Every structure is written in C-alpha cells, then in structure tokens.
Amino acid sequence: MRVEGEGGFSPGTVLFRFVLRPDVANQEYISSPWWFQASAVRLILQAARAGHRGESLASGQASRMAALSSTWVGSGAHYLLAARVIAPITFLWGAPRAVGKVQADQKAASGLKSESAVVEIEIVPDPRCVQLFVPGMRDKSLARKAVSVISCTKMEDSEALAGGEIEVFLRSVAAS
C-alpha cells in the first residue's frame, strides 16, 4: 500500500475484509491489519456486475482490485467479512500497490515499489480500492478488543447478491 494518510474510526463503524474461508469463529480473520470500507466493496461489486476485464465473479474482481495475491497464505476473496468497530482505532490508508516478484526464486509475491526491479507482475490493482492498515491488529487479543464480526457472506456472482441491489447487499451484511 502507498500510504497517503492516516485517520481514525469510532465505535459503530463497519469495516470489511475479503477472506478465503468462512470459519470466523476462531477470530483468525479479524486478527489482520488489512481492511476496507464499503466504498471499496461497492467498486468491486460494480466492476463484477460490469464484467470488467472479462471477470464477472465478485471474488475474482476483489482479488485483482484489492491486490490479494494467490501466493499469500490464507489470501482470497471467496467470502466478505463485515465487522463493527467496538473501540476507537487509528489506521493508515492508501491505494494498493502492484503485486509481484522481484527475484526469480521468490515464493510469495510482495507489494512492488516504483523503484523495484520486477521479475514478474501478478496483479495490477485498482488505485480507487483504498486499503486500510490498522497497526496492531495482527495481535488476536487486541483485534478482539477492537472489532466484532457481524457477518461472513459468500462472494459468488455479484448479480445474486441481495437480488442484484448492491446498496441493499451492503446494508444487509452490515446489519447487526
């Protein structure tokens, strides 16, 4: 992510994460620093609806637009996790970086910097899909004190989500 600013959220704010599996009971998925607001999810669903770059699945659009590398353990966008902020949190925000490899023998991709000598580019994300980085959220005990899971929804064809109404879908997954 290219850090473009910092901010804070008060309790009650709803945040989103794209996750590979629905097993959120163990709180594994909330203990990550990477989050999105509804505006990024909206862009992803609209792109899937329009079949942008030949991709009509919301999960495929999320992986590309949000720069979710297939080489990262647990990375994927088969489900959308919604969580409510329950304690004030601060975050850094910015556009996602292109993802790829800088060495031929590199196993996992990484965010590429403009000065990187690139061997392979895996993903060129949409810069409008603003990412949020919440420091300290890798710590499970801290994450449980900061956010609470509201829902985990399967991301299939975007047309099927809430009968095709994106705003209805976003309100439904964010409802308590």
Side-chain angles (χ1 to χ4, degrees), residues 26 31 34-35 45 64-65 68 90 128 155:
N26 61 11
S31 61
W34 300 105
W35 293 85
L45 294 176
R64 182 191 63 77
M65 293 177 73
L68 304 175
T90 57
R128 300 172 302 157
M155 297 286 289

Side-chain angles (χ1 to χ4, degrees), residues 26-32 136-146:
N26 61 11
Q27 304 295 310
E28 290 294 318
Y29 289 124
I30 64 168
S31 61
S32 170
M137 286 288 282
R138 286 195 208 286
D139 180 328
K140 292 177 191 170
S141 63
L142 179 60
R144 283 192 296 271
K145 294 174 185 174

Side-chain angles (χ1 to χ4, degrees), residues 19-162:
V19 297
L20 189 59
R21 300 184 332 249
D23 56 348
V24 295
N26 61 11
Q27 304 295 310
E28 290 294 318
Y29 289 124
I30 64 168
S31 61
S32 170
W34 300 105
W35 293 85
F36 297 91
Q37 289 183 282
S39 57
V41 177
R42 183 180 299 108
L43 283 171
I44 288 166
L45 294 176
Q46 289 169 343
R49 181 84 34 91
H52 187 63
R53 293 189 181 179
E55 178 64 72
S56 63
L57 294 178
S59 59
Q61 286 293 348
S63 292
R64 182 191 63 77
M65 293 177 73
L68 304 175
S69 174
S70 61
T71 68
W72 296 336
V73 175
S75 179
H78 296 132
Y79 293 83
L80 178 67
L81 180 75
R84 188 170 318 283
V85 174
I86 56 177
I89 59 174
T90 57
F91 61 89
L92 301 173
W93 62 269
R97 291 185 184 272
V99 174
K101 297 179 180 177
V102 294
Q103 298 174 11
D105 61 346
Q106 188 176 342
K107 299 288 185 223
S110 58
L112 302 173
K113 297 179 181 175
S114 58
E115 66 273 6
S116 297
V118 179
V119 172
E120 174 188 332
I121 293 180
E122 179 186 359
I123 301 168
V124 176
D126 187 322
R128 300 172 302 157
C129 196
V130 174
Q131 294 177 329
L132 306 174
F133 179 83
V134 183
M137 286 288 282
R138 286 195 208 286
D139 180 328
K140 292 177 191 170
S141 63
L142 179 60
R144 283 192 296 271
K145 294 174 185 174
V147 297
S148 176
V149 173
I150 301 170
S151 64
C152 189
T153 307
K154 190 165 187 168
M155 297 286 289
E156 291 182 326
D157 183 8
S158 69
E159 285 292 336
L161 301 174

